[in-house]
Amino acid sequence: MRSSCRYFLPFYLTFFMNASFSNEVFGKFEIIEEKKSAAGKNVLLDASHVNEFKIEEVGIEKSKSSSVDLVEIFSPELSKKHHVKHRKIFLLSLDGGAIRGIVHAHVLAHLEKLLNMPIVKVFSGVSGASTGAIVALGIGIPNPERPGYPLYSAEEVQNMYLTEREHIFEKQSLSKRLRAGEGAFRPKYAPIGIEETFEKYYNDHQLSDLLIPTSVPVTEISEGKGASIMSSLKARRKASRDYLIGDVARATSAAPGFFPSKEILKDATGSDSETSLNFWDGGMFANNPSEIVLLEAQKAFPHAKLSDFVLLSIGTGEKKIKISQKESQEIGYVNGGHKMVRTILGAQKSWVDKKLKLVLGQNYIRLQVDLGEAGHKHDDVSIDYLEALYFASEQMIEESHDKIMYLKDLWDSQKSKKKSAYEYFSELQMLISIKDSIPLSNKRALHAIYEDYCVEHKLNPNNNGSVRKMIRHIKNKASLAS
């Protein structure tokens, strides 16, 4: 083991001797002061970043009088004369990989420091598979004390992995492990540890609470539907699909052989307590969910061109499987099942890579690293493996320096652009939709509420300043409610 392991042992002992800690170093990963509990569901408007939560985004050319016809703006069909060049739409994809989700969190923490803002303020959509969903859901939980901002930073999500890892992958008694055959005959781990962790950090937040449009792949097995998507945008439209994010995280991370499947009521409102669905890990069909976040974004932004999207896809480290011709002839389910599964998942990820590179070109930014001697492990929570993951994360950042700086340059160029009038209108529509539970597709109802506001406050409804004033009014009211 590397000499740098001397950093690990002192804190490792301290961790078990004293549960209260702050600003200690867990190996190379910094453990930051534990945040307040997420208790109490946040019901505030979390849309102060709607610039990143744009729906059907197009530009509106400013007229000389800085006035536009809002009847046209709120209508489903927009005149072609109002279309101008789109701003870039940034998307994020996070691979599966169990304990290696620490790699995601570490790289995202680096990005937050580099860009000097939360991840949810940068990206307009995120998709995560399995452990990637755990990270994606964690960084999207709203902060009740600061509307529009997340409760947890990427570094705090990383802290969750470090402090809860042994509870999630809790070793069972020898007799239970023998009966399970280390995952061969029944799940290797009981679900109580991972479920208690989600309850602690996610509390009773639902998909619709998330600050960023989030899509999570799950594999439905009770009705044989197979590949399915749980989406925060769908949850906003249908209360019956507004699942607890702890349940969503548990469903997408229910890796066969490691954890039991997750059963969830089909109707999230509880009106039908008889019908439930059963799920396995979403990484079974989308271990690299880049394609999912792009497809979901195309539905959310139907006017956008492919060249408008910038997709950052982060892996959790890989170690390529190489099988000789002779070995391949002798592999069966018992003696080669592990290699078969890894080969299938690796092939899926590499195929998605090839497609996205072809479709998006340099705007598909893939970050991945070779795990080398550390190996491709899922449930190794030892100090040695955490150290290896730290070095792998740092290596990924170093090797991807040019790609990361390309992303930063694109983002910096976005910040220098002023919001178009339509972006303000899109933001207002989103806020009204959230506040009054009106579907975004019902433009007339949204416009009627805006007109009533203008009449009440004696404002010109065709003035862009009136739109901004109502946006500030709604946000201030949400802030006071906290």
Side-chain angles (χ1 to χ4, degrees), residues 87-112:
R87 293 155 66 94
K88 293 295 183 184
I89 300 169
F90 292 81
L91 306 174
L92 177 63
S93 172
L94 303 173
D95 283 15
I99 190 60
R100 301 195 316 278
I102 289 177
V103 176
H104 287 148
H106 188 66
V107 174
L108 291 178
H110 172 76
L111 277 178
E112 288 190 332

Side-chain angles (χ1 to χ4, degrees), residues 113-132:
K113 291 175 183 176
L114 181 68
L115 301 176
N116 195 30
M117 63 178 58
I119 291 298
V120 296
K121 294 286 186 178
V122 178
F123 295 93
S124 300
V126 59
S127 183
S130 194
T131 195

Side-chain angles (χ1 to χ4, degrees), residues 43-91:
V43 295
L44 301 177
L45 299 173
D46 299 306
S48 63
H49 73 302
V50 176
N51 180 33
E52 289 77 55
F53 205 147
K54 302 177 292 291
I55 299 297
E56 300 181 7
E57 180 192 46
V58 292
I60 291 290
E61 296 177 351
K62 289 186 177 180
S63 65
K64 293 180 180 179
S65 62
S66 296
S67 177
V68 291
D69 184 358
L70 291 185
V71 175
E72 185 174 336
I73 294 300
F74 277 99
S75 65
E77 297 299 328
L78 292 168
S79 171
K80 288 183 179 180
K81 69 181 180 180
H82 289 310
H83 288 254
V84 296
K85 188 176 181 180
H86 290 253
R87 293 155 66 94
K88 293 295 183 184
I89 300 169
F90 292 81
L91 306 174

Side-chain angles (χ1 to χ4, degrees), residues 62 87 414-421 423-424:
K62 289 186 177 180
R87 293 155 66 94
Q414 289 293 105
K415 291 194 298 181
S416 65
K417 295 178 182 178
K418 292 183 178 180
K419 269 185 173 182
S420 68
E423 286 177 301
Y424 280 115

Side-chain angles (χ1 to χ4, degrees), residues 217-360:
V218 290
T219 304
E220 199 284 320
I221 58 175
S222 54
E223 295 183 354
K225 293 179 180 178
S228 302
I229 306 294
M230 291 182 175
S231 161
S232 62
L233 291 181
K234 185 184 292 184
R236 287 183 181 275
R237 296 192 300 267
K238 293 183 177 181
S240 61
R241 297 295 177 263
D242 195 9
Y243 302 109
L244 291 171
I245 62 174
D247 287 344
V248 176
R250 173 71 176 82
T252 191
S253 59
F258 288 91
F259 292 103
S261 61
K262 176 61 178 176
E263 185 179 33
I264 302 175
L265 284 179
K266 187 173 184 178
D267 189 331
T269 64
S271 59
D272 179 5
S273 59
E274 300 296 325
T275 308
S276 61
L277 298 175
N278 217 18
F279 297 96
W280 266 345
D281 198 314
M284 295 176 70
F285 73 93
N287 211 33
N288 173 358
S290 295
E291 208 168 14
I292 291 175
V293 72
L294 180 59
L295 292 172
E296 291 290 304
Q298 286 181 304
K299 288 190 289 185
F301 311 117
H303 299 287
K305 300 175 182 177
L306 282 173
S307 58
D308 295 325
F309 296 106
V310 177
L311 201 168
L312 175 64
S313 175
I314 307 178
T316 55
E318 63 181 354
K319 186 172 176 61
K320 294 181 179 179
I321 291 287
K322 297 179 181 180
I323 304 173
S324 68
Q325 195 277 337
K326 180 182 178 181
E327 185 183 4
S328 69
Q329 303 302 309
E330 299 172 355
I331 285 180
Y333 286 115
V334 176
N335 66 341
H338 180 64
K339 284 190 175 182
M340 280 192 266
V341 171
R342 282 189 54 194
T343 300
I344 291 169
L345 295 179
Q348 184 270 335
K349 288 197 285 189
S350 64
W351 176 238
V352 170
D353 276 347
K354 289 181 174 67
K355 286 193 289 184
L356 269 294
K357 286 175 184 175
L358 181 64
V359 170
L360 297 181

Side-chain angles (χ1 to χ4, degrees), residues 339-451:
K339 284 190 175 182
M340 280 192 266
V341 171
R342 282 189 54 194
T343 300
I344 291 169
L345 295 179
Q348 184 270 335
K349 288 197 285 189
S350 64
W351 176 238
V352 170
D353 276 347
K354 289 181 174 67
K355 286 193 289 184
L356 269 294
K357 286 175 184 175
L358 181 64
V359 170
L360 297 181
Q362 66 177 350
N363 282 352
Y364 175 64
I365 304 170
R366 176 68 174 172
L367 309 187
Q368 185 60 289
V369 66
D370 187 347
L371 291 171
E373 295 181 3
H376 187 277
K377 301 174 184 178
H378 290 86
D379 57 346
D380 186 344
V381 296
S382 67
I383 299 298
D384 288 353
Y385 196 58
L386 289 183
E387 181 188 30
L389 291 180
Y390 167 79
F391 284 109
S393 304
E394 287 293 299
Q395 182 182 341
M396 180 187 289
I397 292 170
E398 183 179 349
E399 292 177 352
S400 305
H401 176 267
D402 290 346
K403 293 179 179 180
I404 293 172
M405 294 313 295
Y406 174 67
L407 177 74
K408 183 179 184 300
D409 289 344
L410 286 176
W411 175 248
D412 288 343
S413 67
Q414 289 293 105
K415 291 194 298 181
S416 65
K417 295 178 182 178
K418 292 183 178 180
K419 269 185 173 182
S420 68
Y422 187 81
E423 286 177 301
Y424 280 115
F425 296 137
S426 295
E427 180 175 358
L428 179 58
Q429 289 181 77
M430 178 62 70
L431 287 168
I432 295 174
S433 174
I434 296 170
K435 182 173 72 72
D436 296 319
S437 301
I438 297 174
L440 281 167
S441 57
N442 193 344
K443 308 293 184 182
R444 293 187 180 280
L446 297 172
H447 183 219
I449 291 175
Y450 170 71
E451 280 191 324

